[in-house]
Amino acid sequence: MNALEVNFNRRENKTFTLLELLVVIGVVGLLAAVLLPALHMARKRASAGMCMANLKQCGVILFQYADDYGNYFPASYSRPNDIGTMWTQLVFNAGYMKEPEVGKKSIFVCPTWGNKTWQDCRETYGMWRGDASHGVPSHGTYYFLMRDKIEPERILLSDSTRGSDDPNWDQSYFLDDGDGTEHKNVGNYTHKVAHLRDQKNANVLFIDGHV
């Protein structure tokens, strides 16, 4: 074999290696196109699972509160000593948990929506505000719900959203209604019972404790 033949073979090898590289790049691109949507969906499912776990833990606290307070849940909103207080603040004041640090992840905040971290007591999972046939008044149209008076299929807590001009207030601490169907406008704000965010579903905690 002379030098000319050797150089020719080297060129052939380089061309063949380049073709292999292009084939590999093409296969990788195809796999990415197929797998990335599946990975994105898997991440969404994982986030929804975290949200459901949050609601479950909130439920444990709320049912413990009801056990200690004559079967009454904390009101979604009340005004003890003329101070506006949301349901999470009642839980903190009663000593069931410390209020989370601002900017930290918390079981009281949906991990897939808005700030995704604790900001204040207004921005949390929405609790059904109740009515006269299911509890006793706390303030205005808000009630301390009595566990024994509420149908098992009623929503206690849910993914919620607040239609507001404030971009930092994405979740609503109360729900207008508990059956998951009613949307109401209150002033300039819209409160929705079940906000469809996790794969077009809402995570909810029912009165009977299941999520």
mmCIF file of all heavy atoms in Angstrom, residues 132-164:
data_model
loop_
_atom_site.group_PDB
_atom_site.id
_atom_site.type_symbol
_atom_site.label_atom_id
_atom_site.label_comp_id
_atom_site.label_asym_id
_atom_site.label_seq_id
_atom_site.Cartn_x
_atom_site.Cartn_y
_atom_site.Cartn_z
ATOM 1 N N ALA A 132 -75.061 29.764 57.256
ATOM 2 C CA ALA A 132 -75.725 29.646 58.559
ATOM 3 C C ALA A 132 -76.152 28.222 58.883
ATOM 4 O O ALA A 132 -76.302 27.873 60.056
ATOM 5 C CB ALA A 132 -76.924 30.581 58.603
ATOM 6 N N SER A 133 -76.375 27.399 57.873
ATOM 7 C CA SER A 133 -76.830 26.034 58.132
ATOM 8 C C SER A 133 -75.675 25.076 58.443
ATOM 9 O O SER A 133 -75.911 23.916 58.794
ATOM 10 C CB SER A 133 -77.625 25.503 56.937
ATOM 11 O OG SER A 133 -76.810 25.445 55.780
ATOM 12 N N HIS A 134 -74.438 25.558 58.328
ATOM 13 C CA HIS A 134 -73.280 24.691 58.549
ATOM 14 C C HIS A 134 -72.333 25.197 59.635
ATOM 15 O O HIS A 134 -71.287 24.596 59.867
ATOM 16 C CB HIS A 134 -72.492 24.513 57.255
ATOM 17 C CG HIS A 134 -73.235 23.779 56.187
ATOM 18 N ND1 HIS A 134 -73.962 24.420 55.218
ATOM 19 C CD2 HIS A 134 -73.382 22.452 55.947
ATOM 20 C CE1 HIS A 134 -74.519 23.516 54.412
ATOM 21 N NE2 HIS A 134 -74.180 22.326 54.836
ATOM 22 N N GLY A 135 -72.685 26.299 60.286
ATOM 23 C CA GLY A 135 -71.802 26.809 61.325
ATOM 24 C C GLY A 135 -72.381 28.021 62.020
ATOM 25 O O GLY A 135 -73.574 28.322 61.904
ATOM 26 N N VAL A 136 -71.522 28.726 62.750
ATOM 27 C CA VAL A 136 -71.933 29.940 63.460
ATOM 28 C C VAL A 136 -71.123 31.105 62.911
ATOM 29 O O VAL A 136 -69.962 30.932 62.516
ATOM 30 C CB VAL A 136 -71.718 29.798 64.978
ATOM 31 C CG1 VAL A 136 -72.601 28.690 65.537
ATOM 32 C CG2 VAL A 136 -70.267 29.527 65.326
ATOM 33 N N PRO A 137 -71.724 32.308 62.876
ATOM 34 C CA PRO A 137 -71.035 33.446 62.259
ATOM 35 C C PRO A 137 -69.724 33.792 62.958
ATOM 36 O O PRO A 137 -69.613 33.744 64.182
ATOM 37 C CB PRO A 137 -72.049 34.588 62.399
ATOM 38 C CG PRO A 137 -73.366 33.909 62.586
ATOM 39 C CD PRO A 137 -73.081 32.656 63.336
ATOM 40 N N SER A 138 -68.744 34.132 62.144
ATOM 41 C CA SER A 138 -67.487 34.645 62.681
ATOM 42 C C SER A 138 -67.375 36.141 62.420
ATOM 43 O O SER A 138 -66.953 36.906 63.269
ATOM 44 C CB SER A 138 -66.299 33.918 62.053
ATOM 45 O OG SER A 138 -66.269 34.117 60.639
ATOM 46 N N HIS A 139 -67.785 36.523 61.200
ATOM 47 C CA HIS A 139 -67.820 37.942 60.834
ATOM 48 C C HIS A 139 -68.557 38.062 59.511
ATOM 49 O O HIS A 139 -68.176 37.417 58.528
ATOM 50 C CB HIS A 139 -66.411 38.523 60.698
ATOM 51 C CG HIS A 139 -66.401 39.948 60.208
ATOM 52 N ND1 HIS A 139 -66.761 41.014 60.999
ATOM 53 C CD2 HIS A 139 -66.094 40.464 58.991
ATOM 54 C CE1 HIS A 139 -66.673 42.129 60.295
ATOM 55 N NE2 HIS A 139 -66.267 41.817 59.076
ATOM 56 N N GLY A 140 -69.584 38.883 59.477
ATOM 57 C CA GLY A 140 -70.320 39.084 58.234
ATOM 58 C C GLY A 140 -70.837 37.774 57.662
ATOM 59 O O GLY A 140 -71.594 37.048 58.304
ATOM 60 N N THR A 141 -70.387 37.451 56.452
ATOM 61 C CA THR A 141 -70.848 36.230 55.784
ATOM 62 C C THR A 141 -69.858 35.072 55.948
ATOM 63 O O THR A 141 -69.898 34.106 55.197
ATOM 64 C CB THR A 141 -71.059 36.495 54.282
ATOM 65 O OG1 THR A 141 -69.840 36.985 53.705
ATOM 66 C CG2 THR A 141 -72.168 37.514 54.068
ATOM 67 N N TYR A 142 -68.982 35.155 56.930
ATOM 68 C CA TYR A 142 -68.017 34.087 57.201
ATOM 69 C C TYR A 142 -68.441 33.338 58.460
ATOM 70 O O TYR A 142 -69.023 33.916 59.380
ATOM 71 C CB TYR A 142 -66.612 34.663 57.391
ATOM 72 C CG TYR A 142 -66.100 35.424 56.199
ATOM 73 C CD1 TYR A 142 -66.357 36.783 56.058
ATOM 74 C CD2 TYR A 142 -65.356 34.793 55.206
ATOM 75 C CE1 TYR A 142 -65.892 37.495 54.963
ATOM 76 C CE2 TYR A 142 -64.878 35.498 54.112
ATOM 77 C CZ TYR A 142 -65.145 36.846 53.998
ATOM 78 O OH TYR A 142 -64.693 37.545 52.916
ATOM 79 N N TYR A 143 -68.111 32.033 58.494
ATOM 80 C CA TYR A 143 -68.611 31.192 59.576
ATOM 81 C C TYR A 143 -67.531 30.262 60.117
ATOM 82 O O TYR A 143 -66.622 29.844 59.385
ATOM 83 C CB TYR A 143 -69.788 30.332 59.084
ATOM 84 C CG TYR A 143 -71.006 31.141 58.711
ATOM 85 C CD1 TYR A 143 -71.089 31.766 57.464
ATOM 86 C CD2 TYR A 143 -72.064 31.295 59.605
ATOM 87 C CE1 TYR A 143 -72.199 32.529 57.129
ATOM 88 C CE2 TYR A 143 -73.176 32.051 59.264
ATOM 89 C CZ TYR A 143 -73.240 32.671 58.034
ATOM 90 O OH TYR A 143 -74.327 33.421 57.692
ATOM 91 N N PHE A 144 -67.678 29.926 61.421
ATOM 92 C CA PHE A 144 -66.949 28.815 61.994
ATOM 93 C C PHE A 144 -67.733 27.560 61.647
ATOM 94 O O PHE A 144 -68.843 27.352 62.141
ATOM 95 C CB PHE A 144 -66.835 28.958 63.518
ATOM 96 C CG PHE A 144 -65.935 30.064 63.974
ATOM 97 C CD1 PHE A 144 -66.455 31.293 64.364
ATOM 98 C CD2 PHE A 144 -64.554 29.878 64.017
ATOM 99 C CE1 PHE A 144 -65.624 32.310 64.796
ATOM 100 C CE2 PHE A 144 -63.712 30.896 64.443
ATOM 101 C CZ PHE A 144 -64.242 32.117 64.834
ATOM 102 N N LEU A 145 -67.184 26.755 60.777
ATOM 103 C CA LEU A 145 -67.906 25.572 60.311
ATOM 104 C C LEU A 145 -67.896 24.478 61.374
ATOM 105 O O LEU A 145 -66.867 24.209 62.001
ATOM 106 C CB LEU A 145 -67.253 25.033 59.037
ATOM 107 C CG LEU A 145 -67.236 25.977 57.840
ATOM 108 C CD1 LEU A 145 -66.389 25.397 56.721
ATOM 109 C CD2 LEU A 145 -68.654 26.244 57.354
ATOM 110 N N MET A 146 -69.057 23.841 61.556
ATOM 111 C CA MET A 146 -69.157 22.743 62.507
ATOM 112 C C MET A 146 -69.048 21.429 61.741
ATOM 113 O O MET A 146 -69.829 21.146 60.842
ATOM 114 C CB MET A 146 -70.466 22.799 63.286
ATOM 115 C CG MET A 146 -70.505 21.822 64.441
ATOM 116 S SD MET A 146 -71.936 22.070 65.514
ATOM 117 C CE MET A 146 -71.536 20.928 66.848
ATOM 118 N N ARG A 147 -68.072 20.632 62.120
ATOM 119 C CA ARG A 147 -67.769 19.407 61.374
ATOM 120 C C ARG A 147 -68.979 18.491 61.245
ATOM 121 O O ARG A 147 -69.227 17.915 60.187
ATOM 122 C CB ARG A 147 -66.616 18.676 62.059
ATOM 123 C CG ARG A 147 -66.206 17.377 61.401
ATOM 124 C CD ARG A 147 -64.867 16.876 61.925
ATOM 125 N NE ARG A 147 -64.814 16.851 63.374
ATOM 126 C CZ ARG A 147 -63.715 16.531 64.067
ATOM 127 N NH1 ARG A 147 -62.596 16.236 63.422
ATOM 128 N NH2 ARG A 147 -63.732 16.517 65.371
ATOM 129 N N ASP A 148 -69.763 18.341 62.299
ATOM 130 C CA ASP A 148 -70.885 17.393 62.290
ATOM 131 C C ASP A 148 -72.054 17.850 61.422
ATOM 132 O O ASP A 148 -72.963 17.065 61.143
ATOM 133 C CB ASP A 148 -71.390 17.144 63.718
ATOM 134 C CG ASP A 148 -70.350 16.448 64.577
ATOM 135 O OD1 ASP A 148 -69.398 15.891 64.002
ATOM 136 O OD2 ASP A 148 -70.477 16.486 65.813
ATOM 137 N N LYS A 149 -72.049 19.111 61.008
ATOM 138 C CA LYS A 149 -73.170 19.647 60.231
ATOM 139 C C LYS A 149 -72.894 19.665 58.728
ATOM 140 O O LYS A 149 -73.765 20.061 57.950
ATOM 141 C CB LYS A 149 -73.498 21.075 60.690
ATOM 142 C CG LYS A 149 -74.146 21.162 62.058
ATOM 143 C CD LYS A 149 -74.561 22.598 62.343
ATOM 144 C CE LYS A 149 -75.308 22.707 63.667
ATOM 145 N NZ LYS A 149 -75.739 24.109 63.935
ATOM 146 N N ILE A 150 -71.700 19.271 58.323
ATOM 147 C CA ILE A 150 -71.300 19.456 56.928
ATOM 148 C C ILE A 150 -71.283 18.130 56.191
ATOM 149 O O ILE A 150 -70.797 17.114 56.701
ATOM 150 C CB ILE A 150 -69.899 20.100 56.857
ATOM 151 C CG1 ILE A 150 -69.871 21.385 57.688
ATOM 152 C CG2 ILE A 150 -69.520 20.423 55.422
ATOM 153 C CD1 ILE A 150 -68.505 22.012 57.793
ATOM 154 N N GLU A 151 -71.818 18.132 54.983
ATOM 155 C CA GLU A 151 -71.849 16.942 54.156
ATOM 156 C C GLU A 151 -70.418 16.515 53.792
ATOM 157 O O GLU A 151 -69.553 17.360 53.562
ATOM 158 C CB GLU A 151 -72.632 17.199 52.867
ATOM 159 C CG GLU A 151 -74.062 17.704 53.089
ATOM 160 C CD GLU A 151 -74.135 19.218 53.201
ATOM 161 O OE1 GLU A 151 -73.090 19.858 53.486
ATOM 162 O OE2 GLU A 151 -75.235 19.755 53.012
ATOM 163 N N PRO A 152 -70.158 15.198 53.742
ATOM 164 C CA PRO A 152 -68.798 14.710 53.459
ATOM 165 C C PRO A 152 -68.248 15.181 52.119
ATOM 166 O O PRO A 152 -67.028 15.314 51.969
ATOM 167 C CB PRO A 152 -68.960 13.182 53.467
ATOM 168 C CG PRO A 152 -70.194 12.915 54.229
ATOM 169 C CD PRO A 152 -71.092 14.098 54.002
ATOM 170 N N GLU A 153 -69.140 15.429 51.141
ATOM 171 C CA GLU A 153 -68.655 15.812 49.814
ATOM 172 C C GLU A 153 -68.333 17.300 49.704
ATOM 173 O O GLU A 153 -67.894 17.770 48.654
ATOM 174 C CB GLU A 153 -69.687 15.440 48.753
ATOM 175 C CG GLU A 153 -71.013 16.183 48.825
ATOM 176 C CD GLU A 153 -72.023 15.504 49.756
ATOM 177 O OE1 GLU A 153 -71.615 14.600 50.508
ATOM 178 O OE2 GLU A 153 -73.212 15.898 49.723
ATOM 179 N N ARG A 154 -68.533 18.041 50.780
ATOM 180 C CA ARG A 154 -68.217 19.459 50.751
ATOM 181 C C ARG A 154 -66.706 19.684 50.723
ATOM 182 O O ARG A 154 -65.930 18.961 51.335
ATOM 183 C CB ARG A 154 -68.778 20.153 51.987
ATOM 184 C CG ARG A 154 -70.253 20.521 51.882
ATOM 185 C CD ARG A 154 -70.424 21.816 51.133
ATOM 186 N NE ARG A 154 -71.831 22.202 51.095
ATOM 187 C CZ ARG A 154 -72.269 23.296 50.507
ATOM 188 N NH1 ARG A 154 -71.420 24.098 49.894
ATOM 189 N NH2 ARG A 154 -73.542 23.586 50.498
ATOM 190 N N ILE A 155 -66.287 20.713 50.018
ATOM 191 C CA ILE A 155 -64.876 21.096 49.976
ATOM 192 C C ILE A 155 -64.556 21.951 51.194
ATOM 193 O O ILE A 155 -65.241 22.938 51.473
ATOM 194 C CB ILE A 155 -64.576 21.884 48.699
ATOM 195 C CG1 ILE A 155 -64.736 20.990 47.466
ATOM 196 C CG2 ILE A 155 -63.168 22.473 48.743
ATOM 197 C CD1 ILE A 155 -64.615 21.747 46.157
ATOM 198 N N LEU A 156 -63.510 21.570 51.915
ATOM 199 C CA LEU A 156 -63.040 22.378 53.038
ATOM 200 C C LEU A 156 -61.926 23.322 52.593
ATOM 201 O O LEU A 156 -61.958 24.517 52.869
ATOM 202 C CB LEU A 156 -62.548 21.472 54.167
ATOM 203 C CG LEU A 156 -62.023 22.170 55.429
ATOM 204 C CD1 LEU A 156 -63.110 23.044 56.050
ATOM 205 C CD2 LEU A 156 -61.517 21.150 56.437
ATOM 206 N N LEU A 157 -60.923 22.777 51.898
ATOM 207 C CA LEU A 157 -59.819 23.568 51.355
ATOM 208 C C LEU A 157 -59.629 23.225 49.880
ATOM 209 O O LEU A 157 -59.897 22.094 49.472
ATOM 210 C CB LEU A 157 -58.502 23.271 52.078
ATOM 211 C CG LEU A 157 -58.251 23.835 53.470
ATOM 212 C CD1 LEU A 157 -56.862 23.410 53.939
ATOM 213 C CD2 LEU A 157 -58.382 25.335 53.505
ATOM 214 N N SER A 158 -59.131 24.187 49.127
ATOM 215 C CA SER A 158 -58.940 23.930 47.702
ATOM 216 C C SER A 158 -57.873 24.840 47.135
ATOM 217 O O SER A 158 -57.578 25.915 47.678
ATOM 218 C CB SER A 158 -60.261 24.175 46.960
ATOM 219 O OG SER A 158 -60.071 24.116 45.557
ATOM 220 N N ASP A 159 -57.277 24.391 46.006
ATOM 221 C CA ASP A 159 -56.537 25.329 45.170
ATOM 222 C C ASP A 159 -57.446 26.516 44.900
ATOM 223 O O ASP A 159 -58.624 26.340 44.572
ATOM 224 C CB ASP A 159 -56.177 24.689 43.824
ATOM 225 C CG ASP A 159 -55.080 23.634 43.938
ATOM 226 O OD1 ASP A 159 -54.283 23.715 44.879
ATOM 227 O OD2 ASP A 159 -55.033 22.758 43.065
ATOM 228 N N SER A 160 -56.931 27.703 45.035
ATOM 229 C CA SER A 160 -57.778 28.881 44.854
ATOM 230 C C SER A 160 -56.999 29.959 44.114
ATOM 231 O O SER A 160 -55.773 29.931 44.046
ATOM 232 C CB SER A 160 -58.235 29.417 46.210
ATOM 233 O OG SER A 160 -57.108 29.775 47.000
ATOM 234 N N THR A 161 -57.725 30.911 43.582
ATOM 235 C CA THR A 161 -57.077 32.043 42.930
ATOM 236 C C THR A 161 -57.874 33.293 43.228
ATOM 237 O O THR A 161 -59.066 33.240 43.532
ATOM 238 C CB THR A 161 -56.980 31.836 41.410
ATOM 239 O OG1 THR A 161 -56.195 32.887 40.847
ATOM 240 C CG2 THR A 161 -58.342 31.847 40.751
ATOM 241 N N ARG A 162 -57.217 34.407 43.160
ATOM 242 C CA ARG A 162 -57.869 35.691 43.408
ATOM 243 C C ARG A 162 -57.674 36.566 42.179
ATOM 244 O O ARG A 162 -56.538 36.837 41.781
ATOM 245 C CB ARG A 162 -57.266 36.371 44.632
ATOM 246 C CG ARG A 162 -57.826 37.753 44.933
ATOM 247 C CD ARG A 162 -57.105 38.336 46.147
ATOM 248 N NE ARG A 162 -57.546 39.687 46.421
ATOM 249 C CZ ARG A 162 -58.556 40.004 47.219
ATOM 250 N NH1 ARG A 162 -59.224 39.055 47.814
ATOM 251 N NH2 ARG A 162 -58.904 41.262 47.424
ATOM 252 N N GLY A 163 -58.771 36.983 41.577
ATOM 253 C CA GLY A 163 -58.670 37.894 40.445
ATOM 254 C C GLY A 163 -58.382 39.287 40.960
ATOM 255 O O GLY A 163 -59.258 39.952 41.487
ATOM 256 N N SER A 164 -57.160 39.723 40.871
ATOM 257 C CA SER A 164 -56.756 40.974 41.497
ATOM 258 C C SER A 164 -55.732 41.690 40.637
ATOM 259 O O SER A 164 -55.045 41.085 39.828
ATOM 260 C CB SER A 164 -56.167 40.695 42.883
ATOM 261 O OG SER A 164 -55.574 41.847 43.435
#
